[in-house]
Amino acid sequence: MKNIKRVFIYVFLSLAAIVSIFPFLWMLVSITNKSSDVTKGRLLPGTHLIENMTTLFESVDIVPALVNSTIIAVITTVVTLLLASLAGYGFEIHRSRGKDIVFNILLLSMMIPFAAIMVPLYRMFGSISDTAPLFGIDSLGAVILPTATTAFFIFFFRQNTKMFPKDLVEAGRIDGLSEIGVFFRIYMPTMKTTYAAAAIITFMNSWNNYLWPLVILQSPEKRTIPLLISNLGSSYSPDYGVIMSAIVIATLPTALVFFLMQKHFVAGMMGSVKG
Amino acid sequence: MNQQATKKDELDLPLRYKETRREKTGVFFKKKVGWLFVIVSVIAITIFNFYPMVQAFLLSFQSGMGSNLEYVGLANWQRLFGDPTFIAALTNTSIYLLIQVPLMIVLALFFSVLLNDPNLKFKGFFRIAIFLPCVTSLVAYSVIFKYLFGVDGIINVFLLKFGFISETINFLADPFWAKVVIILAITWRWTGYNMIFYLAALQNVDKSIYEAAKIDGANSIQQFFQITVPMLKPIILFTSITSTIGTLQIFDEIVNITNGGPGNATISISQYIYNLSFEYTPDFGYASTVSYVIVILVVILSIIQFRVAGEKK
């Protein structure tokens, strides 16, 4: 009886693992095959890798999309980390009744569905297009601004600040550091792992964001990687090998981040529910 | 309350020591310096979240093309109930929600319990394999699923080869199968993600509880329902709320797998809002009305889930 149960568990988990991994294998095999072979269900590596990559980099022109996505993801990550950690620190270390009320109101914004605010946001950025083109419609600035401030990461930093030794703040003050100095000189270096976890999640969210860039970006040279892939995917005569190559390249950074920083990654996920 | 007051005094104490040195900056600054840390975020969230919410609410009572809007009272709200596309979007989104979220949470719980077994071999491999889908972007995996289940996709090739079907099934052109593909896709992408939460929570469950249950003669199924589920209740609540909010807003998958088709058989509320605003002749007013339906649903479902979780205590 016990053995049957064992066997069942291994079979079940193996099936789950195969289902999870199969699309990845198929993707990796497909980038080496011709489009016609992919549709024939070929599951063996082919010799078409270089042709697929050449098409991707020359005719599809993936480079500008990679550059745009990188710029947006890096700036979004830096701004989010700075603003959210400042706020999380402020709410926890300089706790007051007023701030607790404000914090709870901010948390409510996490319930706001993006679809509900995208039209007003689009109109808002439309209205500043003439005066501030860097932040108007079809600008990378407009992609970054609304995504770089989320209550989630303020909450995240506040939760993690609860474990930050408050004595260090006192020590810093006695040493004559200003309040801002305590934050930059003591808090930031101490909380490196929290920053790492938040950075991974922000970067991935930004790198993969689809709806808002789709709404606000218009010209082809401004488009990000998800927009490019979506575009390729909806074409009437898709070149499967090339599209799979684009998807592999788009997934590489997030997959790498995940494998290199697994611990931080999981810590980041858990940090959002602690406390 | 009292405790909080003393905590605050403690924090302010060192500031008072310095008063002699920095009297010029004034007591006001010292009391309010905390606000400096939070003010930028508070302003930004107000501008980019709360203000648009108010705008959307006002817009939901307006109608017109593009930016020529005028107040029409409750006309948009009445239009909702007679709008077949909206009804389809609401129905589809509810189907995704009611089938996909429970299916995924049960699967994730099941995997986490199996993987929590200390005697299991290849644990690390299974865990990473099941979590792997989470590294893909929503658009990327959607396109992959679209091709997997395409007419000449590999699923059809396999089913034909092994004789399960005699001719290819056009999954994405069939109203029923298209929904199934979308539900399978979302489940594939997010089960591992939820599993990680449960695995971490299981590590905090005291092993001796299970030992005691075994001595009392509880089998694994009883242990699962009597110990594991109650112990994980807070985290199950958390994951069901985030999954519910996520599925209610589903957009990327629908657009990239079926684009709402065939007909409107898979269209979601978010996609309908997008179409109303940016695909059809823009009707920002009515789009905002539809978007408030999601807001209302998010609030109602969150309250229900909190209530249900609270009652079972």
Side-chain angles (χ1 to χ4, degrees):
Chain A
M1 181 61 204
K2 225 176 173 179
N3 275 331
I4 298 173
K5 206 172 121 191
R6 283 270 97 167
V7 171
F8 168 75
I9 290 175
Y10 280 109
V11 168
F12 184 75
L13 284 175
S14 306
L15 265 175
I18 292 170
V19 170
S20 299
I21 293 176
F22 178 74
F24 289 94
L25 289 180
W26 184 57
M27 199 163 86
L28 287 175
V29 168
S30 299
I31 65 173
T32 66
N33 282 318
K34 268 192 295 195
S35 193
S36 55
D37 284 334
V38 175
T39 55
K40 272 182 211 141
R42 188 183 156 98
L43 280 176
L44 294 169
T47 53
H48 222 68
L49 177 65
I50 293 168
E51 285 90 333
N52 283 338
M53 288 295 163
T54 319
T55 319
L56 185 63
F57 279 90
E58 281 169 10
S59 5
V60 176
D61 210 11
I62 194 177
V63 176
L66 281 171
V67 172
N68 290 335
S69 276
T70 310
I71 294 174
I72 291 172
V74 168
I75 298 180
T76 305
T77 307
V78 171
V79 175
T80 307
L81 255 54
L82 183 66
L83 291 183
S85 63
L86 274 169
Y89 174 90
F91 280 121
E92 186 60 27
I93 301 288
H94 296 272
R95 202 166 166 190
S96 71
R97 201 136 59 111
K99 272 187 230 88
D100 276 355
I101 294 170
V102 171
F103 178 75
N104 285 323
I105 295 174
L106 288 191
L107 283 191
L108 281 180
S109 73
M110 276 161 63
M111 301 255 284
I112 297 179
F114 187 75
I117 55 172
M118 76 184 176
V119 168
L121 279 176
Y122 175 80
R123 283 160 49 98
M124 189 196 284
F125 284 102
S127 68
I128 60 163
S129 276
D130 294 331
T131 45
L134 268 178
F135 294 100
I137 283 172
D138 202 24
S139 71
L140 300 190
V143 179
I144 295 167
L145 275 185
T147 47
T149 43
T150 52
F152 172 78
F153 285 103
I154 298 176
F155 174 73
F156 177 78
F157 272 101
R158 184 178 187 173
Q159 289 300 87
N160 282 285
T161 306
K162 290 191 167 132
M163 291 179 308
F164 172 73
K166 312 266 182 311
D167 300 352
L168 288 180
V169 178
E170 312 289 316
R173 283 172 182 154
I174 292 164
D175 285 349
L177 282 176
S178 65
E179 290 301 315
I180 292 289
V182 171
F183 177 82
F184 283 104
R185 303 269 188 84
I186 298 175
Y187 179 82
M188 272 189 152
T190 318
M191 301 296 281
K192 257 186 245 152
T193 46
T194 304
Y195 278 95
I200 294 169
I201 302 181
T202 330
F203 186 90
M204 286 180 92
N205 283 350
S206 173
W207 182 263
N208 293 336
N209 193 10
Y210 175 60
L211 177 53
W212 177 236
L214 177 69
V215 167
I216 203 78
L217 295 177
Q218 285 158 353
S219 47
E221 69 272 12
K222 295 260 172 68
R223 70 187 169 184
T224 58
I225 284 285
L227 296 183
L228 178 97
I229 291 175
S230 172
N231 229 326
L232 291 174
S234 60
S235 68
Y236 284 103
S237 52
D239 186 331
Y240 294 103
V242 173
I243 298 172
M244 290 299 178
S245 309
I247 292 178
V248 168
I249 289 178
T251 314
L252 269 181
T254 51
L256 267 181
V257 164
F258 168 68
F259 279 109
L260 293 178
M261 307 178 88
Q262 252 192 79
K263 264 198 192 132
H264 290 309
F265 194 87
V266 174
M269 284 170 61
M270 296 317 293
S272 56
V273 275
K274 253 181 320 215
Chain B
M1 207 63 260
N2 225 339
Q3 214 180 352
Q4 209 180 333
T6 45
K7 203 173 178 187
K8 187 172 173 279
D9 283 344
E10 271 170 26
L11 282 179
D12 283 349
L13 209 59
L15 284 178
R16 276 189 215 130
Y17 283 141
K18 281 191 260 173
E19 252 168 51
T20 42
R21 206 150 50 104
R22 285 209 213 151
E23 241 158 356
K24 274 178 197 163
T25 41
V27 180
F28 179 79
F29 174 76
K30 275 161 202 163
K31 281 229 164 123
K32 302 292 169 195
V33 65
W35 286 100
L36 285 179
F37 286 95
V38 302
I39 196 72
V40 182
S41 289
V42 171
I43 293 173
I45 289 177
T46 309
I47 295 176
F48 297 122
N49 286 285
F50 293 123
Y51 176 69
M53 266 313 266
V54 176
Q55 283 291 310
F57 186 70
L58 297 177
L59 273 170
S60 72
F61 298 103
Q62 299 172 46
S63 191
M65 277 196 288
S67 48
N68 302 317
L69 292 158
E70 52 182 39
Y71 280 92
V72 290
L74 289 170
N76 286 334
W77 291 88
Q78 283 163 346
R79 185 176 155 191
L80 273 182
F81 299 100
D83 176 358
T85 317
F86 169 71
I87 307 270
L90 184 63
T91 316
N92 295 338
T93 309
S94 312
I95 293 174
Y96 301 142
L97 192 69
L98 290 174
I99 298 176
Q100 192 272 325
V101 174
L103 174 74
M104 174 184 69
I105 285 178
V106 169
L107 265 179
L109 260 176
F110 197 44
F111 288 147
S112 62
V113 171
L114 294 186
L115 288 177
N116 197 44
D117 182 347
N119 299 321
L120 188 80
K121 289 191 181 95
F122 314 116
K123 204 185 296 180
F125 165 75
F126 286 130
R127 199 175 48 214
I128 288 184
I130 296 173
F131 185 76
L132 202 57
C134 292
V135 306
T136 59
S137 83
L138 301 186
V139 172
Y141 94 83
S142 300
V143 172
I144 291 176
F145 266 76
K146 176 180 171 178
Y147 292 155
L148 278 172
F149 286 90
V151 187
D152 47 10
I154 197 146
I155 300 286
N156 264 317
V157 173
F158 273 177
L159 289 175
L160 271 178
K161 210 180 250 173
F162 294 109
F164 289 111
I165 51 173
S166 52
E167 53 185 297
T168 54
I169 303 175
N170 197 346
F171 289 105
L172 301 178
D174 181 280
F176 171 75
W177 285 115
K179 286 192 195 77
V180 172
V181 171
I182 284 171
I183 289 172
L184 284 179
I186 311 170
T187 310
W188 179 82
R189 171 67 169 73
W190 291 101
T191 302
Y193 178 82
N194 287 293
M195 179 191 77
I196 294 290
F197 284 105
Y198 302 147
L199 267 178
L202 277 174
Q203 267 152 26
N204 297 328
V205 177
D206 193 349
K207 298 270 184 305
S208 59
I209 302 177
Y210 288 100
E211 301 295 330
K214 255 182 225 164
I215 295 167
D216 288 347
N219 62 29
S220 359
I221 295 169
Q222 282 169 324
Q223 286 176 31
F224 178 77
F225 285 106
Q226 309 286 337
I227 304 174
T228 311
V229 173
M231 286 300 238
L232 295 190
K233 210 171 69 180
I235 196 91
I236 295 176
L237 175 70
F238 170 82
T239 50
S240 11
I241 290 180
T242 45
S243 307
T244 302
I245 295 180
T247 306
L248 271 178
Q249 303 185 49
I250 185 165
F251 178 84
D252 301 18
E253 289 88 344
I254 313 286
V255 170
N256 288 296
I257 298 178
T258 59
N259 200 14
N264 284 324
T266 56
I267 193 170
S268 72
I269 306 182
S270 288
Q271 195 198 0
Y272 189 42
I273 297 168
Y274 179 84
N275 288 350
L276 280 171
S277 317
F278 305 109
E279 290 279 307
Y280 316 149
T281 329
D283 188 346
F284 292 142
Y286 186 52
S288 298
T289 314
V290 177
S291 74
Y292 253 82
V293 174
I294 299 194
V295 177
I296 294 166
L297 286 175
V298 166
V299 172
I300 293 177
L301 289 173
S302 302
I303 293 173
I304 292 177
Q305 281 170 335
F306 266 113
R307 279 279 163 81
V308 171
E311 265 169 22
K312 276 188 192 153
K313 225 168 230 173

